[in-house]
Amino acid sequence: MKEKVLEIKENAVKEIKNAQNLQALNDVRVKYLGKKGELTVLLKGMGALSPEERPVVGSLVNEARDTIEKQIEEKEKALKADIIKEKLEKEKIDITMPSKKQEIGSIHPITGVIDNVKDIFLGLGYQIVDGPEIEKAIYNFDKLNTPPDHPARDIQDTFYITEDIVLRSQTSPVQARVMETQKPPIKIICPGKVYRSDSVDATHSPVFHQIEGLVIDKNISMSDLKGTLEMFAKKCLGENTKIRFRPHHFPFTEPSAEADVSCFVCKGKGCRVCKNEGWIELLGCGMVHPNVLENCGIDPNEYSGFAFGFGVERIAMAKYGIDDMRLLFENDVRFLKQF
Ligand code: DAH
């Protein structure tokens, strides 16, 4: 019996040493210490021994089990350490390798100008609204006091889808839509795309962007318009920017004006950007025509308002010194990367 115990122990220790992985080690555990394991079976057969032999063999078996358990435990630790080591080897990252170049995009100058203008007017308490690009002629023209024979309505200038539906040629129709659905006080700007039947050249594109502004309330006057535009010009183009009004005509405003800003490149002295004028044409504006208010369900005896509209490309070109509008639409990354 004693020899048997020693033999089992010896064999077990050998097999533990030889176990190549956790599964094999577990098999050894089951083989010797499991319910039907060799040592367990031996322990069960102790009843057959004489009373003198029993404690001697008993302590031998216990000693053998302790040894086997301890060895298994140590081997398990060693195997697990090997696994981790192997994993670390395999998953090692070579941080000395140059990384792939990450190309970082930039905001398109048109989007940049629009975002900037939105920020300025949000700060003045304006709402930002949207309108359809495919628009009813009645909103693009009639409600804006533009008579049927007005040259802007010519098919030479405006894209017609049907006789009554156009690609909006300006963001001004949004004015009419807002006035019809909102009660004064109204303070909105509307940025968006507009379409005109122009051929492409350095200063023209059949698609471009405008931003429209509209304020309707009691006692709104031309001085509110001028103060607002002055504030806007300073915030958008620099604190030293001056503004001047020139009389003009738009069907939907009376009186109407075009507003120029002092050239922010040469500060009014005359340069390439302002074509030696010292001033840059910024936008069209005026007091909303009483007919327009009436057309849109607002009583011109109770309310008055001002409106303005300008081209985003023109501002982006002036602001960034871009001399050809086509660059803004070709989307050559070498150009766009500069902003
Ligand atoms: N819609 C005009 C255009 O496209 C610009 C404009 C002028 C808008 C005067 C206005 C305005 O709101 O009051 O040329």
Side-chain angles (χ1 to χ4, degrees), residues 169-170 172 175 196 210 212-213 250 252-253 284-286 307-309:
S169 60
Q170 47 188 358
S172 306
Q175 288 187 33
R196 286 190 198 172
Q210 284 190 336
E212 192 78 14
F250 297 103
F252 31 86
T253 40
C285 60
F308 57 88

Side-chain angles (χ1 to χ4, degrees), residues 110-238:
I110 295 292
T111 311
V113 169
I114 292 177
D115 286 350
N116 182 226
V117 174
K118 277 186 188 171
D119 269 354
I120 294 168
F121 281 98
L122 279 172
L124 294 171
Y126 283 58
Q127 250 186 305
I128 294 162
V129 298
D130 231 347
E133 289 172 26
I134 299 173
E135 182 58 286
K136 292 180 177 157
I138 199 171
Y139 281 102
N140 199 69
F141 298 123
D142 301 273
K143 284 177 193 276
L144 298 175
N145 199 37
T146 311
D149 57 354
H150 193 279
R153 300 186 72 142
D154 200 291
I155 50 163
Q156 305 263 323
D157 290 313
T158 299
F159 289 116
Y160 280 82
I161 291 172
T162 67
E163 213 175 296
D164 307 322
I165 298 174
V166 298
L167 291 182
R168 70 176 176 194
S169 60
Q170 47 188 358
T171 41
S172 306
V174 183
Q175 288 187 33
R177 288 185 173 273
V178 170
M179 281 189 270
E180 280 186 352
T181 50
Q182 290 187 28
K183 280 206 164 71
I186 292 169
K187 275 169 88 175
I188 57 118
I189 59 160
C190 165
K193 289 193 188 72
V194 300
Y195 302 82
R196 286 190 198 172
S197 184
D198 281 327
S199 0
V200 175
D201 66 23
T203 52
H204 292 88
S205 161
V207 190
F208 59 101
H209 298 76
Q210 284 190 336
I211 298 181
E212 192 78 14
L214 175 72
V215 170
I216 307 281
D217 204 348
K218 288 181 176 156
N219 303 317
I220 295 292
S221 71
M222 197 92 178
S223 60
D224 296 311
L225 170 62
K226 193 157 186 217
T228 302
L229 293 181
E230 214 158 59
M231 163 98 169
F232 162 62
K234 283 182 193 297
K235 289 252 181 237
C236 185
L237 303 168

